[in-house]
Amino acid sequence: MRNAEQKKGSSVYTIGLSEALLGDEEKHALCRVIDSGWLSTGDEVRAFEQEFAQCHAQKDAVAVSSCTAALQLALQALGVRPGDEILVPSVTFIATVNAVLYVDARPVPVDIQSPVLPHMSLEDAERKITKKTRGVIIMHYGGFACDTALWSEFCRRHDCILIEDAAHTPFMPSVGQYSDAAAFSFFANKNMTCAEGGMILSRHAAVRDACRMLRAHGMTAPTLERKRGHAFSYDIVQLGYNMRMDELRAALGRVQLEHLEERTRTRRHLTACYRELLTAALPEVAILPLSHENADCHLMVCVLPEGCDRAAVMQRMKDAGVQTSIHYPPYHRFSWHSRLFAETALPLAEEYMRRTLTLPLHPGLNEDHVHRVVRALSEALHPRSAGGTVHPAGKTESFTSWHR
Ligand SMILES: *Cc1c(COP(=O)(O)O)cnc(C)c1O
C-alpha cells in the first residue's frame, strides 16, 4: 500500500483530507475490460449491480453515472411531479437539493437536531409538512446513520416517499431496507470509488425498472442486447437520459467493493483514535454524539468552540501540512440558490456550518497521522502567540508528552 505521505502531483499537504486507495487489482480489472472489447454498459455493470445489492441484502440494484443522477432518477421513478415539495437536509452537499430542482419540485430545507448534531430534525420536519409535501430525503451525514425506521414511520404517517442520500454510507447494511430508494456515490473522495459513478437500491422492482429505463434514454432494447442479436431495433417509451455507468467504472467498483469492509473497519479504528485523543486533549472541541462503532465513518468532523476563528485555524493547520475542509458551506446562501431560500431560517444548521471542521480521514492513514493531526489542531487553536511560532506537527511521542 502506498504511504499516505508519498503524494503524487503538487499537493501542499503532508496529510491530505481523503485519498482513493487504488492499486494493481484495479489496473488488472481495467485491462480485463479493455481486452474484452466491450466498454459500454454490459456484463461488468450487471455483476457490479448484483454484488452491490447482495452486500445490502437486496434483490437488485441499478448502476448509474453518479449519485446526483441516482437521486434524480429515484425522485422521478417514485412519481415526484413539478410543484411537489420535498423535505431536504439543511446540512448536505448541493447535489441533494439540485436533484429535487431537476425534476421541478421544491426543496424545503429542514433544520438539524442540535448545533453539534447535523442530522435532520424530525420536529422541524413536522413543522414544514404542507399539503404539497410528497417526499423526504434523509442524508446519513459523515457515514453516521439517521434513524431510518423513525423517518419511515414519519413518511407513512404523512403519506410521503422516503429517499436516502447514502453517498456517505456504501457499506451500512440497513441502508435501503426502510426507504423507497437509496442513492450511493462512487466519486473519487468517497469510501469506495470508480472515479465517477452511482447506484440505486430500491425494494420496489417497478422503481428499479423505471430507473433502468430512464438511465438509457427510455430505450426498450439496450445496445448489448442488439449486439448479441436479441433485438434489431428499439423503441423509446419515455423521455430518458444518458446516465449510464460503463464497464471500466463497474470493474473498478467491483474491486473497491471487495475491500470495502476492511477499509470501513480501518476508518472506524482511526475515528475511535481521533475521538479518544480529542476528548482527552481538546475537551472544548465537540465530536458528534453518535456511535462510530457501526458507522461508515466517511468524515471525521468536529465542532470548534463558539467564536473560534475557523479560517485562522485552517490556515495554521495548512501551514503544518494538514488539510482540512468544511462539510458543508450553507447552500441556502449560495449565489445561485439564495433566491430560492430567501425566507428560510435555519438557526441550528447555520451555527453548525460556522463551527464545523473536517479533519483528514481515509484508510491510508495510521495512528501516528491521527496524533499529528490532533496535535496540529491543538496548536492551531492555542498558538504560542508570544514567540509567534506555530510548531509543525511532530511525532507521536512529543504529542503524548505534550497532551498530558
Ligand atoms: C458526493 C455527494 C453527492 C453527489 O455524489 P456524485 O456521485 O458526485 O453525484 C450527493 N450527496 C452527498 C451527501 C454527497 O456527499
Side-chain angles (χ1 to χ4, degrees):
M1 188 187 293
R2 194 157 43 82
N3 187 303
E5 289 181 40
Q6 292 169 349
K7 301 289 286 184
K8 294 160 294 187
S10 56
S11 176
V12 300
Y13 297 105
T14 310
I15 304 180
L17 194 70
S18 68
E19 190 188 335
L21 282 182
L22 301 162
D24 287 341
E25 286 175 90
E26 281 84 357
K27 288 180 194 167
H28 292 313
L30 290 176
C31 288
R32 181 179 74 229
V33 173
I34 290 165
D35 291 341
S36 81
W38 187 263
L39 298 181
S40 63
T41 314
D43 295 336
E44 291 284 343
V45 171
R46 196 67 199 109
F48 184 30
E49 290 174 336
Q50 285 166 343
E51 287 159 11
F52 194 85
Q54 229 165 46
C55 169
H56 291 270
Q58 297 275 311
K59 284 211 179 70
D60 205 352
V62 183
V64 287
S65 53
S66 69
C67 179
T68 312
L71 288 166
Q72 179 185 341
L73 293 191
L75 287 161
Q76 220 166 312
L78 285 161
V80 172
R81 320 256 318 228
D84 287 348
E85 292 179 4
I86 306 291
L87 303 185
V88 293
S90 48
V91 177
T92 188
F93 182 58
I94 192 62
T96 324
V97 180
N98 282 353
V100 175
L101 294 171
Y102 298 154
V103 300
D104 292 321
R106 198 164 88 80
V108 178
V110 174
D111 210 350
I112 59 174
Q113 286 179 258
S114 92
V116 295
L117 185 45
H119 282 154
M120 245 160 101
S121 151
L122 262 172
E123 292 74 50
D124 196 44
E126 205 72 67
R127 280 192 289 273
K128 287 179 173 163
I129 287 276
T130 72
K131 284 202 294 289
K132 290 185 181 167
T133 312
R134 269 283 292 144
V136 178
I137 304 181
I138 55 173
M139 198 275 271
H140 305 295
Y141 180 94
F144 297 91
C146 304
D147 191 337
T148 316
L150 217 58
W151 281 104
S152 168
E153 192 275 319
F154 174 91
C155 287
R156 245 194 323 274
R157 191 150 37 83
H158 292 290
D159 193 22
C160 281
I161 57 160
L162 178 61
I163 295 177
E164 294 170 84
D165 180 336
H168 298 180
T169 49
F171 184 64
M172 195 157 293
S174 58
V175 172
Q177 309 224 324
Y178 300 101
S179 61
D180 294 294
F184 299 83
S185 174
F186 309 126
F187 181 61
N189 65 6
K190 300 302 203 288
N191 286 18
M192 61 175 277
T193 184
C194 46
E196 296 275 7
M199 192 73 81
I200 301 163
L201 285 183
S202 173
R203 293 179 290 147
H204 316 299
V207 170
R208 297 196 300 269
D209 290 346
C211 289
R212 217 178 283 284
M213 195 163 267
L214 283 168
R215 80 174 170 188
H217 300 291
M219 201 177 269
T220 51
T223 327
L224 188 63
E225 277 185 37
R226 277 175 278 136
K227 156 113 172 161
R228 287 179 173 162
H230 298 157
F232 294 111
S233 187
Y234 57 84
D235 189 18
I236 300 289
V237 292
Q238 60 184 319
L239 183 64
Y241 310 92
N242 177 359
M243 292 179 173
R244 293 180 301 251
M245 179 179 279
D246 60 75
E247 295 286 270
L248 293 159
R249 290 188 166 82
L252 286 179
R254 293 178 70 194
V255 175
Q256 292 269 304
L257 186 60
E258 275 181 33
H259 291 287
L260 187 60
E261 179 165 8
E262 127 225 344
R263 289 179 183 165
T264 303
R265 265 193 254 114
T266 306
R267 286 175 173 276
R268 286 177 192 155
H269 174 69
L270 294 169
T271 302
C273 205
Y274 262 122
R275 287 176 156 210
E276 195 182 314
L277 284 174
L278 286 169
T279 308
L282 294 168
E284 74 271 33
V285 172
I287 55 177
L288 303 191
L290 296 164
S291 167
H292 56 268
E293 273 166 27
N294 293 308
D296 274 12
C297 297
H298 173 56
L299 300 173
M300 179 57 223
V301 285
C302 60
V303 184
L304 299 179
E306 187 80 81
C308 175
D309 182 351
R310 181 175 59 183
V313 168
M314 292 176 80
Q315 182 59 50
R316 288 186 202 115
M317 293 190 73
K318 181 183 173 193
D319 295 342
V322 178
Q323 187 181 13
T324 58
S325 186
I326 298 161
H327 291 88
Y328 289 91
Y331 64 77
H332 62 290
R333 300 285 174 252
F334 283 158
S335 299
W336 194 87
H337 292 80
S338 57
R339 68 193 165 84
L340 305 173
F341 302 111
E343 312 289 307
T344 302
L346 301 161
L348 299 176
E350 284 183 5
E351 179 178 348
Y352 180 81
M353 289 186 279
R354 265 197 310 275
R355 292 170 54 194
T356 187
L357 182 72
T358 308
L359 304 175
L361 179 63
H362 58 84
L365 297 178
N366 59 35
E367 289 184 17
D368 184 52
H369 293 118
V370 172
H371 275 87
R372 287 160 60 184
V373 173
V374 175
R375 187 181 150 103
L377 176 59
S378 171
E379 294 187 351
L381 284 167
H382 309 287
R384 311 196 179 162
S385 49
T389 38
V390 175
H391 298 276
K395 283 255 176 283
T396 313
E397 306 78 66
S398 46
F399 170 80
T400 319
S401 53
W402 161 85
H403 99 74
R404 284 210 185 99

